[in-house]
Amino acid sequence: MEGATEKIWMDGEFLPWDEAKIHILTHSLHYGLGVFEGIRCYKTIRGSAVFRLDEHMRRLCDSSHIVGIDLPYDQATLTNAVLETIRVNKIEACYIRPLIWLGYGSMGVNPAGAPVRSMIAVWKWGAYLGEEGLEKGIRVKVSSFTSHHPNSYMTGAKTTGNYAVSQLAKMEAVRSGVDEALMIDPEGFVAQGSGENIFLVRDGILKTPPLHGVLRGITRETVMALAREQGLEIEVVMFARDEVYAADEAFFTGTAAELTPIREVDGRMIGGGKPGPITKRLQTSFFSVVNGEDEAHLSWLTNV
């Protein structure tokens, strides 16, 4: 695997990368119930630091609670394990993947008797949608796959099985020759990307869908906070795809995607077909924060 490191934290101990294995009858492998996080550690001007680590680990614990998985460790222990995994691997910047799953011990839809397992892995991972995408924007296609209804799957939890639809949407988009998918909710309104929250700008107003079947994105909340500080008006409102087509600007946010501009949706140019001024300003502010240059938001960084 590209970017692989030396050690993976697994159930409280460090194992060599290639020896961190599970049984073929692992319950979550068959039935898809597990919870995870995606977190980034940046090489800042002040040294390596994890962005909004406490918020991510709280969401991991919340996700576990929502789906009824009893964590074998508390939040503080898991948080310290993340930092120690980065240190052990002697890596300055990385993507961080904590995962809680149901292991080998029982089969059948009822997971009773399956042990709760945990791991934390880190690896080198650059811009998820490409460096060019960050600079010039990406091309997007509205997916034929519908985002989850909040009553069909507990969408407030970041669960492994929830991402099966996201994978189908992403594969469809890439096979169609574009970079990413835009997913519509069961009522016909814009929901999210395959793994990102979406924003659009119209007449200087920043808009994003409500958390109606959409995961509460930590990068989403960060960008909204930065936008408020810049005096931007924000509307959390439902909108259909035609409003995206007519937007002056649009962008995705997420831990992996960071803040990636959208230049085209379904063959329609968004604004001028390049990142707009508000998108660029927010993107600059975001990277100033994660690189440790914004002293007003150093509390969002946890030094390794």
Side-chain angles (χ1 to χ4, degrees):
M1 174 178 166
E2 185 178 354
T5 51
E6 292 184 10
K7 300 284 187 180
I8 290 177
W9 184 93
M10 199 164 183
D11 297 324
E13 61 179 327
F14 287 103
L15 299 176
W17 180 281
D18 292 332
E19 294 180 17
K21 299 178 181 180
I22 60 172
H23 195 279
I24 197 64
L25 292 181
T26 291
H27 196 278
S28 292
L29 178 63
H30 293 260
Y31 297 105
L33 186 60
V35 298
F36 71 102
E37 272 300 317
I39 315 170
R40 279 192 186 266
C41 174
Y42 289 88
K43 181 182 178 182
T44 79
I45 61 172
R46 305 165 191 272
S48 296
V50 182
F51 181 62
R52 304 203 73 167
L53 176 58
D54 290 339
E55 290 89 340
H56 278 287
M57 299 312 288
R58 179 181 180 183
R59 190 171 67 179
L60 178 70
C61 294
D62 286 346
S63 295
S64 182
H65 178 69
I66 288 169
V67 300
I69 295 177
D70 294 326
L71 283 173
Y73 304 97
D74 61 21
Q75 182 178 330
T77 300
L78 291 169
T79 299
N80 290 332
V82 167
L83 297 172
E84 191 60 27
T85 303
I86 299 169
R87 297 182 191 116
V88 164
N89 284 288
K90 298 181 176 64
I91 189 169
E92 293 181 311
C94 59
Y95 186 81
I96 307 160
R97 170 53 51 84
L99 173 68
I100 310 294
W101 75 98
L102 299 170
Y104 167 66
S106 69
M107 291 298 286
V109 174
N110 183 359
V116 179
R117 303 287 308 278
S118 56
M119 79 92 194
I120 299 166
V122 300
W123 64 88
K124 295 180 181 179
W125 205 13
Y128 176 61
L129 293 167
E131 294 292 344
E132 184 175 343
L134 281 176
E135 180 182 351
K136 298 181 179 179
I138 61 170
R139 299 169 63 231
V140 175
K141 174 187 182 298
V142 171
S143 179
S144 67
F145 296 97
T146 303
S147 185
H148 289 289
H149 188 283
N151 203 40
S152 67
Y153 209 102
M154 287 183 283
T155 52
K158 191 175 178 68
T159 59
T160 55
N162 196 12
Y163 280 76
V165 173
S166 296
Q167 291 177 72
L168 294 172
K170 178 72 172 184
M171 290 187 292
E172 178 187 60
V174 172
R175 288 167 181 165
S176 299
V178 300
D179 304 294
E180 186 54 284
L182 180 61
M183 302 184 72
I184 306 299
D185 73 14
E187 298 176 11
F189 294 98
V190 171
Q192 58 192 343
S194 70
E196 308 91 3
N197 294 116
I198 184 171
F199 289 83
L200 59 82
V201 179
R202 175 78 176 186
D203 297 330
I205 299 173
L206 191 65
K207 297 185 178 183
T208 191
L211 300 175
H212 175 68
V214 176
L215 186 70
R216 183 185 294 276
I218 291 169
T219 308
R220 172 185 182 270
E221 292 184 346
T222 300
V223 169
M224 291 172 73
L226 294 173
R228 291 188 187 98
E229 291 172 6
Q230 294 178 14
L232 288 171
E233 182 179 348
I234 304 171
E235 292 184 359
V236 179
V237 61
M238 300 170 75
F239 49 83
R241 71 180 75 182
D242 50 6
E243 195 162 349
V244 181
Y245 297 156
D248 299 323
E249 307 175 38
F251 57 88
F252 281 133
T253 62
T255 295
E258 297 168 304
L259 196 160
T260 299
I262 299 170
R263 73 171 191 265
E264 177 187 304
V265 178
D266 288 344
R268 295 162 174 83
M269 184 184 296
I270 302 300
K274 60 183 180 180
I278 291 177
T279 300
K280 290 171 68 175
R281 194 167 82 220
L282 289 171
Q283 187 187 59
T284 297
S285 296
F286 173 77
F287 281 107
S288 177
V289 168
V290 299
N291 289 324
E293 299 163 352
D294 184 346
E295 294 192 2
H297 296 100
L298 292 179
S299 62
W300 284 345
L301 298 172
T302 300
N303 293 327
V304 175

